[in-house]
Amino acid sequence: MQRSRKVLSWIAGIVLALVVVLLIVAATFDWNRMKPFIGDKVSQAIGRPFAINGELTVDWQRDRSGGGPGSWLPWPEFTARDISIANPEWAAQPRFAHLDALRFRLSLLPLLAHRIDVPTLQLVRPTADLERDKSGRASWDFAPPENAAPSAWKLQLGTIGFDQGLLTLDDAARRAKLKLVVEPLQAAIPYDQIVARQSSDAREQAGKTVGAAAEKAIAGSDAKSARIGQATASTTYQFGWTAEGSYQGSPLTGKGRTGAALALQDTTTPFPLQADVHIGDSHIALVGTLTDPLHLGALDVRLWLSGSSMAKLYPITGITLPDTPPYATEGHLKAELRRSGSHYSYQDFRGRVGGSDLAGNLVFVTGGKRPKLSGDVHSKLLQFADLAPLIGADSNTEKTQRGDATPQPADKLLPVEPFRTDRWKAMDADVNFTGARIVRSAALPIDSPSTHLVLDNGALHLDPLSFGLAGGTVRSNITLDSNQAPMRGVLKLDARHLKLKQLFPTFEPMRTSFGEINGDAALDAQGNSIAALLGSANGELKLLMNDGAISKTLLETAGLNVGNIIIGKLFGDKTVRINCAATNMVARNGLFDMRLFVFDTDDAMIDVTGTVNLASEKLDLDVKPHTKGFRVFSLRSPLYVRGTLKNPNVGVQAGPLLARGAGAIALGVVAAPVAALLALVAPSHGDAGDNTCRTVLQQLRSSGKMMPAGKPAVKK
């Protein structure tokens, strides 16, 4: 027993002596001899030349933050000075990064398993030159060459700290050049304080871009904003940064703040971020946290966007968005960023686009054949004028403001601005939109607009696009296929039971009307703008109105330029009761032929013949009034309509006056269009199944004549 104790004592003594010898050797060892070995192993691990050009020293310290027996042992903390990391051979700059010094703790036991385990890493005055070429090769992708044998050594980094630094970026793939300077703040700033400050600044910027209403519209609960991110009570901002340069040809300026240390392996430790960036006239601001930064894994921020047009976000984000008036939005962005595909969720966003409000939830996913945007958007109130940029119908001044280079010709009415079809194949989309009201003016509300927008491999479908109008419904299906050159467009539309007294609520003569408007449209066209599509259209238009009233002033208010001139020539500015108005037009290559266009009043029947050429926007119409008796002598002279849609020329035709009495139209000419229009006849309120248009159209079909009889009596 005594002998065993002596053996154990000798063994313990030898081990203690070896530890003492090792500590003495380690403390007195010239660690500069290890620089070639360390440089070689790190170079193998990162696939890039790595060198320690200055001194390498070591300081032995206990890890007081740890637990267990390891916290009682001293661990080496190395300081390497004048560190350089080379760029790949293809890069223009030879050096990827340089540090005045690099301080790091090294775990010794993992070295036995060929693993370089660095729990903490401190960068002293780092500088980096980042490059990406047009083919997508990036200097920050640390991977061994494809033809190199796999290294037996692996590098594992823990927490990275840094101080004042400089970063430059030359990205040919994204057309970006950037200079970013990082400096320590004078004192750490609490997370909640920066969240509140950025929220105030971003909302103020929204007010400058869109107006005071936008600042109010996007402002939400400050308490809710403060909970954005995965911050803890100890999360603080300790560094500030500024940036300047260019992106996609637009000037870029920015500023922001960050935390002091990145936890690369601990996916639960939040790294606070804040950014406020201007690219051209687009403003992007965010505040929140990043976790799992080694993989850019979990981004959780409050995001603000504003600018002159949403379309300008395409080169910045890669998301295809429409041309819009000035806008501003605020929402909660959560993202999981991966090389194989990322997932972005813009939750509970709200905003202002011109005079309209928008809100909803959107998801953007990459990694498939094409990125895809999906979600739901809704609005309480849309201003009709805010929809004009969608089809290029806004003014030239507004086009210039949102960056469009296609001015509308002064002599053209139909928008000539081309659709941005080159962007349609960049992504897919599946978005539902619903609204409460669209307002053109106080006198013309449109209720319940909704559409299901699908963008699939360059083909845009609005299926359906519908809304309520004046107590009735308008439903359409629109397809624009950019895979064909020129683009093909297909439109199918039906309007049912539009109440005239609701359509013109401020027009006194219409308040007692029981009349309705019904219509159908089916067009197939080719072209890359509204003007080109309508200028090549083939199809048919049908419209029927019964028991209404009309005047020059009313048509001026409605913006019907040609119509108000014709009515003014025929009736002056007095109000005229309309028993029935019916039109059936057939289009071929943009030439709309009036197969039938009549409107019947108590005094006369007006017959319009001729064509409207939407390719050239030229008018060639004859307006023939047929008086009923002797009450309206002036209506016995026919009119002509020439000129263009923008500048119509209406005059009195030379020749004899028309004969008095009910007018007659060639029976063979009107038979087919009358039959088509009869399908649109709908019972008027209280008519027990009949209305004036049915009587008028049946007279036309049977005899080709408009009879002097007035409209049928309304049954009470």
Side-chain angles (χ1 to χ4, degrees):
M1 187 72 175
Q2 187 176 4
R3 182 179 178 86
S4 298
R5 290 178 178 175
K6 288 182 179 181
V7 171
L8 291 175
S9 298
W10 275 102
I11 292 175
I14 293 172
V15 170
L16 179 62
L18 288 173
V19 171
V20 171
V21 170
L22 287 174
L23 290 175
I24 293 174
V25 171
T28 59
F29 181 72
D30 182 6
W31 287 95
N32 287 301
R33 296 181 181 180
M34 294 294 296
K35 291 194 299 184
F37 174 80
I38 294 173
D40 178 62
K41 298 309 177 187
V42 173
S43 297
Q44 290 184 43
I46 67 175
R48 195 82 59 80
F50 171 91
I52 303 173
N53 303 306
E55 288 191 339
L56 176 62
T57 59
V58 67
D59 183 20
W60 294 79
Q61 296 182 353
R62 288 168 52 194
D63 182 10
R64 300 182 183 275
S65 62
S71 63
W72 293 94
L73 297 175
W75 295 91
E77 182 175 276
F78 291 88
T79 299
R81 294 173 174 81
D82 191 8
I83 303 293
S84 64
I85 303 174
N87 256 327
E89 294 181 357
W90 56 263
Q93 299 294 330
R95 189 169 65 184
F96 170 76
H98 178 268
L99 299 96
D100 284 3
L102 178 67
R103 297 189 180 95
F104 60 96
R105 287 185 56 241
L106 182 65
S107 299
L108 298 179
L109 292 179
L111 294 174
L112 300 176
H114 290 84
R115 191 174 77 245
I116 304 172
D117 191 352
V118 181
T120 61
L121 188 69
Q122 182 68 35
L123 311 179
V124 180
R125 296 184 67 86
T127 61
D129 292 307
L130 309 182
E131 295 182 48
R132 179 159 56 182
D133 63 13
K134 292 182 178 179
S135 66
R137 294 181 299 180
S139 64
W140 55 86
D141 285 339
F142 286 91
E146 294 182 0
N147 57 354
S151 172
W153 291 84
K154 303 296 182 183
L155 176 65
Q156 182 169 330
L157 298 177
T159 300
I160 295 182
F162 50 89
D163 61 10
Q164 183 177 4
L166 172 66
L167 180 146
T168 61
L169 171 68
D170 187 353
D171 188 344
R174 293 291 183 89
R175 294 174 56 211
K177 290 191 175 183
L178 186 68
K179 178 181 179 182
L180 186 144
V181 178
V182 181
E183 294 182 326
L185 300 173
Q186 293 182 351
I189 304 177
Y191 176 80
D192 290 350
Q193 183 177 333
I194 294 298
V195 169
R197 187 181 304 175
Q198 181 59 73
S199 298
S200 177
D201 291 346
R203 292 166 184 170
E204 182 180 353
Q205 178 62 45
K208 293 178 181 178
T209 303
V210 188
E215 186 174 356
K216 182 179 179 180
I218 69 173
S221 168
D222 291 335
K224 183 177 180 180
S225 298
R227 292 196 298 270
I228 294 297
Q230 305 300 317
T232 64
S234 61
T235 303
T236 60
Y237 291 87
Q238 300 184 46
F239 283 85
W241 59 268
T242 58
E244 61 179 0
S246 64
Y247 188 84
Q248 295 287 337
S250 298
L252 180 151
T253 59
K255 60 181 180 180
R257 299 173 183 85
T258 70
L262 279 167
L264 299 184
Q265 302 300 330
D266 184 357
T267 60
T268 63
T269 301
F271 181 72
L273 296 170
Q274 180 254 329
D276 197 298
V277 179
H278 291 265
I279 303 176
D281 63 8
S282 297
H283 176 241
I284 302 172
L286 60 87
V287 63
T289 60
L290 172 69
T291 52
D292 191 12
L294 187 63
H295 304 98
L296 292 177
L299 188 65
D300 191 335
V301 299
R302 198 79 179 165
L303 175 65
W304 293 265
L305 302 167
S306 63
S308 62
S309 173
M310 286 187 180
K312 291 187 177 181
L313 290 174
Y314 174 76
I316 302 173
T317 65
I319 300 176
T320 302
L321 294 170
D323 289 293
T324 68
Y327 72 95
T329 69
E330 174 182 334
H332 183 181
L333 177 67
K334 300 184 73 173
E336 296 178 3
L337 310 173
R338 297 288 186 267
R339 290 180 182 273
S340 58
S342 299
H343 184 280
Y344 304 84
S345 175
Y346 197 29
Q347 302 173 350
D348 299 320
F349 77 85
R350 56 192 175 275
R352 195 85 172 172
V353 181
S356 307
D357 67 272
L358 286 180
N361 298 277
L362 291 171
V363 173
F364 187 65
V365 179
T366 66
K369 291 183 178 180
R370 290 172 299 276
K372 185 172 183 177
L373 179 71
S374 58
D376 295 280
V377 179
H378 53 269
S379 171
K380 295 179 180 178
L381 178 64
L382 280 175
Q383 294 289 344
F384 192 81
D386 294 333
L387 303 177
L390 297 177
I391 58 172
D394 49 342
S395 69
N396 284 338
T397 300
E398 292 167 330
K399 290 175 186 290
T400 301
Q401 182 180 6
R402 62 179 170 82
D404 183 73
T406 310
Q408 181 71 17
D411 61 340
K412 296 293 183 181
L413 182 66
L414 301 177
V416 301
E417 180 182 334
F419 294 103
R420 301 178 188 265
T421 54
D422 56 313
R423 301 180 177 184
W424 292 9
K425 293 184 180 180
M427 56 167 266
D428 291 341
D430 189 336
V431 178
N432 287 292
F433 171 82
T434 57
R437 294 180 65 203
I438 299 178
V439 174
R440 182 183 178 202
S441 67
L444 185 60
I446 304 176
D447 299 317
S448 307
S450 66
T451 189
H452 180 203
L453 183 151
V454 175
L455 183 60
D456 183 15
N457 192 26
L460 175 65
H461 307 274
L462 300 177
D463 185 14
L465 170 61
S466 60
F467 51 88
L469 176 60
T473 60
V474 178
R475 181 182 176 89
S476 64
N477 300 89
I478 300 174
T479 296
L480 299 175
D481 189 354
S482 67
N483 293 297
Q484 300 186 31
M487 179 177 69
R488 184 190 177 197
V490 178
L491 165 68
K492 292 184 179 180
L493 177 147
D494 63 74
R496 292 294 183 270
H497 306 296
L498 277 58
K499 306 296 189 297
L500 291 171
K501 62 182 177 182
Q502 296 183 39
L503 191 60
F504 303 106
T506 61
F507 188 49
E508 186 67 31
M510 209 77 83
R511 292 190 178 184
T512 59
S513 171
F514 296 126
E516 291 184 347
I517 293 179
N518 294 283
D520 284 337
L523 297 175
D524 192 315
Q526 292 183 323
N528 291 338
S529 68
I530 294 296
L533 286 168
L534 291 177
S536 64
N538 297 286
E540 186 176 13
L541 296 175
K542 296 180 290 185
L543 187 68
L544 204 62
M545 181 188 85
N546 68 282
D547 300 333
I550 199 167
S551 74
K552 175 179 180 293
T553 303
L554 177 66
L555 294 177
E556 283 180 347
T557 303
L560 300 176
N561 189 29
V562 179
N564 75 65
I565 297 175
I566 295 174
I567 294 300
K569 292 279 188 181
L570 292 175
F571 302 103
D573 197 21
K574 72 174 185 176
T575 298
V576 181
R577 301 291 302 184
I578 301 293
N579 299 326
C580 177
T583 182
N584 181 261
M585 291 182 280
V586 174
R588 177 168 295 186
N589 296 326
L591 185 67
F592 285 72
D593 184 17
M594 306 294 174
R595 297 178 64 197
L596 177 67
F597 190 173
V598 297
F599 55 97
D600 179 56
T601 75
D602 290 338
D603 296 327
M605 185 274 289
I606 313 298
D607 174 25
V608 181
T609 58
T611 60
V612 177
N613 190 332
L614 293 187
S616 61
E617 297 194 10
K618 290 185 177 180
L619 303 169
D620 186 8
L621 300 173
D622 293 313
V623 181
K624 300 176 182 178
H626 304 277
T627 61
K628 297 178 179 180
F630 301 91
R631 289 169 288 185
V632 190
F633 184 81
S634 62
L635 293 184
R636 293 162 56 206
S637 298
L639 305 177
Y640 63 80
V641 182
R642 305 291 184 264
T644 65
L645 295 176
K646 191 70 175 289
N647 298 296
N649 177 22
V650 180
V652 178
Q653 289 187 2
L657 299 179
L658 292 177
R660 294 185 180 94
I665 307 173
L667 190 58
V669 175
V670 302
V674 166
L677 287 167
L678 277 170
L680 294 178
V681 173
S684 296
H685 179 78
D687 268 354
D690 206 356
N691 65 22
T692 309
C693 271
R694 171 169 285 135
T695 302
V696 170
L697 292 175
Q698 286 176 343
Q699 289 176 0
L700 273 177
R701 184 168 62 173
S702 62
S703 65
K705 292 185 178 182
M706 305 295 294
M707 304 304 295
K711 61 184 178 181
V714 177
K715 297 181 181 179
K716 297 183 181 180

